Amino acid sequence: MTRDPSGQARSVEDHAGIIARMLEPLSEQPPEETVRLEAALGRVTAEEVRSEVDLPLFRNSQMDGYAVRAADIRSAPVALEVSGDIPAGHTSPVTLIAGTALRIMTGAPVPTGADTIVPVEDTELVLGRDDDLEGAIVEIRRSRAAGEYVRERGSDVRRGEVLVPAGTRLAPRHLAALAAAGVETVRARARLRVGILTTGSELISSGAPGFGQVYDANSVALAALVQESGATVSVRASSDDDPATFERILDEALAQSDLVITSGGISKGAYEVVREVLHPRGADVTTVAMQPGGPQATAVVGGVPVFAFPGNPVSTQVSFVVFLRDPLRAAAGLPPIAPVEAALTTDLRSVPGRRQFLRGLLDGSGGVTPVAGHSSHLVAGMARADVLIDVPAEAEALEAGATVTVWTL
Amino acid sequence: MTRDPSGQARSVEDHAGIIARMLEPLSEQPPEETVRLEAALGRVTAEEVRSEVDLPLFRNSQMDGYAVRAADIRSAPVALEVSGDIPAGHTSPVTLIAGTALRIMTGAPVPTGADTIVPVEDTELVLGRDDDLEGAIVEIRRSRAAGEYVRERGSDVRRGEVLVPAGTRLAPRHLAALAAAGVETVRARARLRVGILTTGSELISSGAPGFGQVYDANSVALAALVQESGATVSVRASSDDDPATFERILDEALAQSDLVITSGGISKGAYEVVREVLHPRGADVTTVAMQPGGPQATAVVGGVPVFAFPGNPVSTQVSFVVFLRDPLRAAAGLPPIAPVEAALTTDLRSVPGRRQFLRGLLDGSGGVTPVAGHSSHLVAGMARADVLIDVPAEAEALEAGATVTVWTL
């Protein structure tokens, strides 16, 4: 049991710093992977993406209408022969005969020799029909300056310019820009692979519980917390209180994971399987001055960081939120979830010497009310909360109206 | 072409209302499905979930320590014989012999006859060892009131009580509570199946573009927007400007989708394939007084709503955000993304008569600056924005410092 030199339990800040430093290498040199655009929503770019093309790819029409020379319509209204038709997707270059108009659709290439598009609203076919332009005559009702309604090649982005910077969390608008430039894959931060190991001979995952058995809430909760933090679950396994069982699933998880989280088996009692297995492997087993969540351990086994949380379901979730959420988000390239302030709606008492993370519910007007009790087994109670109320270690009591820091769940 | 009785283009509000009403049945009677807890993160419950068990399932110990009768330790310090050991996961009931102590682990069932747990920190084995309790004697250093550190059955939630209300977006803490109660599946709102059809003979999805061809940005962007809104993509297909092609992919999409979104082919030019196919099927083809995004159509074909957006990539994305994002979120059980206010950092000019949705970038201090230009082909420019600046239809110019509504992208 490691305590600080004064014999006190370790502070939350100190333990959080230790965990953040253990994960720093994964934030600073995050693993990368190639992701197809179709699967890249929400992923974070590992490098900037520069356009390999000009956008627009070619000079094209901004409107449905007629491509003309500005010089030919200066004296509008004027009637021009329609010398052809350029639908979007027209696949061969066209040259405008001076003194005539070419019908053109939005996005179609502006013909050589044309410098202006006249929107269809400013025109009328005085001879011919929309579906038969042979020998048609169009009246252009108003003049236009050269360049109007022409989208110049490269006017959106030029070849070599940055389309999306490194570290961008890809939203639909980024994917649209990348797709428009013909980009099919991006280098993204890889999702960290997290192994999740729950322990306890009393745990069952399904079926009817026998005497003394309970359902494993931590495996599902940790998996969800990991996914929310931009990582992925590599292994989910559970162990009874036999060290050999835990050692086996630990080794399996270490082989397939960038980091491993365990729950349970870390306190001072007998049958503390995580402590028994990790301590000989160099774990830092400690008590953090917090409630819930006091017993904590960290280890690096075969180069893989292991974070051991206590097993009560509220303790496990609070430990993740307080210690692991922001470091994992940082490694994923996501911003931290900053704590906010709220005003207590009620008096509360606390245990001095330990920082309390009470379950609380925000109202719409800046107030926060504790919900459920303090006890770390109140897993259903925690489901009714939306924040953790952070009560400083030195506080014995706080009065209604006091400002407290709250952590969004 | 439907315009309102005054001959004006339809207002954004009116068109948004029409689309919201078309999707109301899917919000009010959303399709449901059964989802395993492991896959339920972020899903929205279609009905409340009541616990079928008491939690805790049985009276259990809150601490590692000794189970005793409060009456036997009233005169602490006191030495008691250790008459046995109850690890967590112990699978048969135990009865405490009066005047003795049973070692107990956190979470283990409190033995019949015991009413108090003494934490191990308040005890010392004066005879025997942790790993050999045969004939051991424990000294209890301080007295405890009856009930201390005992978690009563049902003290978290009682059988029949609500664990998670209907309409809850499932977060890790909800999944933990459900798992703890042995719930393995939930009824969740089904993700709406959305068909995405892009049109235009000029579109290619990969490879080197030929003369006049462009990469399809809308298919990827719409798919991502749909996923962000809590729906799922049932079909993605693209059509050239041949009505037969479009009709074929439309019919395929209708058969597999709760709604269909199309892009392109809806304006007043020739080769407007969506308009040509949908108009005979009863589409409401209209012009909305907005920029970008004016040409719009809606239809209900075979009972399936179809939303036809214009094809310029900025117009398509803006149309989705303005018209479809919140109704889709409502159908998914998600809250709307409320527009917020910001202060323009620069003067801007607008086209009166049409509501403008300019691309803007928020600074950290409540200011917003237009980025990229007005034109609807500036798809790379839109990637640099994080909001749409909503410029009222009647505005001709706004001055720096003016308050504007912005829509978060």
Side-chain angles (χ1 to χ4, degrees), chain A residues 37-38 41 53 55-58 60 62 64 85-94 103 105-109 120-121 130 151-152 155-157 162-164 170-177 179-184 200-203 205-207 209-218 220-225 227-228 236 241 267-272 312-313 317 372 375-387 409, chain B residues 37-38 41 53 55-58 60 62 64 85-94 103 105-109 120-121 130 151-152 155-157 162-164 170-177 179-184 200-203 205-207 209-218 220-225 227-228 236 241 267-272 312-313 317 372 375-387 409:
Chain A
L37 228 50
E38 285 71 16
L41 178 65
V53 296
L55 281 182
L57 289 162
F58 50 87
N60 70 82
Q62 188 175 336
D64 295 331
D85 187 23
I86 314 174
H90 192 83
T91 49
S92 54
V94 174
R103 189 170 69 169
M105 295 298 134
T106 306
V120 68
E121 292 87 344
D130 270 344
R151 300 167 175 167
E152 294 297 339
S155 55
D156 187 11
V157 73
V162 173
L163 276 172
V164 174
L170 292 169
R173 64 190 182 279
H174 303 117
L175 299 177
V183 174
E184 295 180 25
S201 292
E202 72 279 20
L203 298 181
S205 61
S206 64
F211 179 83
Q213 294 186 315
V214 299
Y215 293 106
D216 183 0
N218 287 338
V220 167
L222 284 171
L225 287 162
Q227 287 169 263
E228 272 198 343
R236 268 175 68 186
D241 293 330
S267 66
K268 295 174 196 155
Y271 316 103
E272 299 293 332
N312 279 313
Q317 293 177 67
S375 185
S376 59
H377 72 291
L378 299 171
V379 61
M382 183 161 180
R384 300 202 308 275
D386 55 12
V387 294
L409 287 174
Chain B
L37 229 50
E38 285 72 15
L41 178 65
V53 296
L55 282 181
L57 290 161
F58 50 88
N60 71 83
Q62 189 174 335
D64 295 331
D85 186 24
I86 313 174
H90 193 82
T91 51
S92 54
V94 174
R103 189 171 68 170
M105 295 298 134
T106 306
V120 68
E121 292 87 345
D130 270 343
R151 299 168 175 166
E152 294 297 341
S155 55
D156 187 11
V157 75
V162 173
L163 275 172
V164 174
L170 292 169
R173 64 191 183 277
H174 303 117
L175 299 177
V183 174
E184 295 181 24
S201 292
E202 71 279 21
L203 298 182
S205 61
S206 63
F211 179 83
Q213 294 186 315
V214 299
Y215 293 106
D216 183 1
N218 287 338
V220 167
L222 284 171
L225 287 162
Q227 288 170 263
E228 271 197 343
R236 267 174 67 187
D241 292 330
S267 67
K268 296 176 197 153
Y271 315 106
E272 299 293 330
N312 279 313
Q317 293 177 68
S375 184
S376 59
H377 73 292
L378 299 171
V379 61
M382 184 163 180
R384 299 202 309 275
D386 54 12
V387 294
L409 288 174

Side-chain angles (χ1 to χ4, degrees), chain A residues 43-283:
Chain A
R43 300 300 296 270
V44 176
T45 50
E47 52 190 39
E48 66 184 10
V49 185
R50 290 178 180 270
S51 185
E52 293 186 9
V53 296
D54 291 332
L55 281 182
L57 289 162
F58 50 87
R59 194 167 172 247
N60 70 82
S61 175
Q62 188 175 336
M63 302 291 278
D64 295 331
Y66 290 86
V68 299
R69 301 194 317 169
D72 291 340
I73 62 167
R74 200 162 290 147
S75 56
V78 60
L80 299 178
E81 179 195 344
V82 181
S83 55
D85 187 23
I86 314 174
H90 192 83
T91 49
S92 54
V94 174
T95 300
L96 177 73
I97 301 162
T100 72
L102 280 162
R103 189 170 69 169
I104 192 166
M105 295 298 134
T106 306
V110 175
T112 308
D115 56 14
T116 304
I117 306 297
V118 181
V120 68
E121 292 87 344
D122 294 339
T123 69
E124 187 176 359
L125 272 183
V126 291
L127 202 64
R129 296 196 316 269
D130 270 344
D131 57 358
D132 180 8
L133 293 174
E134 187 68 39
I137 303 286
V138 64
E139 184 181 76
I140 306 291
R141 294 201 187 119
R142 52 165 291 194
S143 67
R144 289 274 169 190
E148 274 200 81
Y149 296 116
V150 172
R151 300 167 175 167
E152 294 297 339
R153 175 177 176 151
S155 55
D156 187 11
V157 73
R158 291 198 174 278
R159 184 175 176 205
E161 285 182 347
V162 173
L163 276 172
V164 174
T168 301
R169 188 175 195 184
L170 292 169
R173 64 190 182 279
H174 303 117
L175 299 177
L178 293 167
V183 174
E184 295 180 25
T185 63
V186 289
R187 291 293 289 172
R189 288 190 178 217
R191 291 201 172 100
L192 291 187
R193 300 163 304 149
V194 181
I196 293 172
L197 306 179
T198 57
T199 68
S201 292
E202 72 279 20
L203 298 181
I204 60 168
S205 61
S206 64
F211 179 83
Q213 294 186 315
V214 299
Y215 293 106
D216 183 0
N218 287 338
S219 186
V220 167
L222 284 171
L225 287 162
V226 160
Q227 287 169 263
E228 272 198 343
S229 306
T232 188
V233 177
S234 51
V235 174
R236 268 175 68 186
S238 195
S239 162
D240 59 19
D241 293 330
D242 176 2
T245 313
F246 177 69
E247 193 143 23
R248 183 175 53 72
I249 65 169
L250 174 65
D251 287 337
E252 283 175 14
L254 291 169
Q256 299 172 58
S257 307
D258 297 307
L259 62 128
V260 172
I261 306 172
T262 71
S263 75
I266 200 61
S267 66
K268 295 174 196 155
Y271 316 103
E272 299 293 332
V273 69
V274 174
R275 197 185 63 198
E276 284 174 41
V277 169
L278 286 183
H279 198 261
R281 297 200 188 191

Side-chain angles (χ1 to χ4, degrees), chain B residues 288-294 318 351 354-359 374:
Chain B
V288 177
M290 68 189 289
Q291 203 172 38
V318 168
V351 181
R354 285 188 282 190
R355 191 162 155 191
Q356 302 278 327
F357 293 94
L358 305 177
R359 277 64 72 201
H374 290 213

Side-chain angles (χ1 to χ4, degrees), chain B residues 90-324:
Chain B
H90 193 82
T91 51
S92 54
V94 174
T95 300
L96 178 72
I97 302 160
T100 74
L102 281 161
R103 189 171 68 170
I104 193 166
M105 295 298 134
T106 306
V110 174
T112 308
D115 56 13
T116 303
I117 305 298
V118 181
V120 68
E121 292 87 345
D122 294 338
T123 70
E124 186 175 1
L125 273 182
V126 293
L127 203 64
R129 295 197 316 268
D130 270 343
D131 57 357
D132 182 7
L133 294 173
E134 187 68 40
I137 304 286
V138 65
E139 184 182 77
I140 306 291
R141 295 201 184 120
R142 50 166 292 190
S143 66
R144 290 274 170 191
E148 277 201 77
Y149 296 117
V150 172
R151 299 168 175 166
E152 294 297 341
R153 175 176 175 152
S155 55
D156 187 11
V157 75
R158 291 198 176 280
R159 184 175 175 202
E161 286 182 347
V162 173
L163 275 172
V164 174
T168 301
R169 188 175 195 185
L170 292 169
R173 64 191 183 277
H174 303 117
L175 299 177
L178 294 166
V183 174
E184 295 181 24
T185 62
V186 289
R187 290 293 288 172
R189 288 189 178 215
R191 292 202 172 100
L192 292 188
R193 299 163 304 148
V194 180
I196 293 171
L197 306 179
T198 55
T199 68
S201 292
E202 71 279 21
L203 298 182
I204 59 169
S205 61
S206 63
F211 179 83
Q213 294 186 315
V214 299
Y215 293 106
D216 183 1
N218 287 338
S219 186
V220 167
L222 284 171
L225 287 162
V226 160
Q227 288 170 263
E228 271 197 343
S229 305
T232 188
V233 177
S234 52
V235 174
R236 267 174 67 187
S238 195
S239 161
D240 60 19
D241 292 330
D242 176 3
T245 313
F246 177 69
E247 194 141 25
R248 183 174 54 71
I249 66 169
L250 174 66
D251 286 337
E252 283 173 15
L254 290 168
Q256 299 173 59
S257 308
D258 298 307
L259 63 126
V260 171
I261 306 171
T262 71
S263 75
I266 200 59
S267 67
K268 296 176 197 153
Y271 315 106
E272 299 293 330
V273 69
V274 175
R275 198 186 62 198
E276 284 174 40
V277 169
L278 285 183
H279 198 262
R281 297 202 188 189
D284 170 28
V285 182
T286 189
T287 299
V288 177
M290 68 189 289
Q291 203 172 38
Q296 298 280 343
T298 59
V300 178
V301 184
V304 178
V306 179
F307 305 100
F309 296 151
N312 279 313
V314 175
S315 308
T316 304
Q317 293 177 68
V318 168
S319 297
F320 184 96
V321 169
V322 171
F323 294 124
L324 214 42

Side-chain angles (χ1 to χ4, degrees), chain A residues 322-348:
Chain A
V322 171
F323 294 126
L324 215 42
R325 185 169 68 178
D326 279 348
L328 275 188
R329 290 178 61 86
L334 304 175
I337 298 178
V340 294
E341 297 203 324
L344 278 176
T345 61
T346 172
D347 297 347
L348 64 81

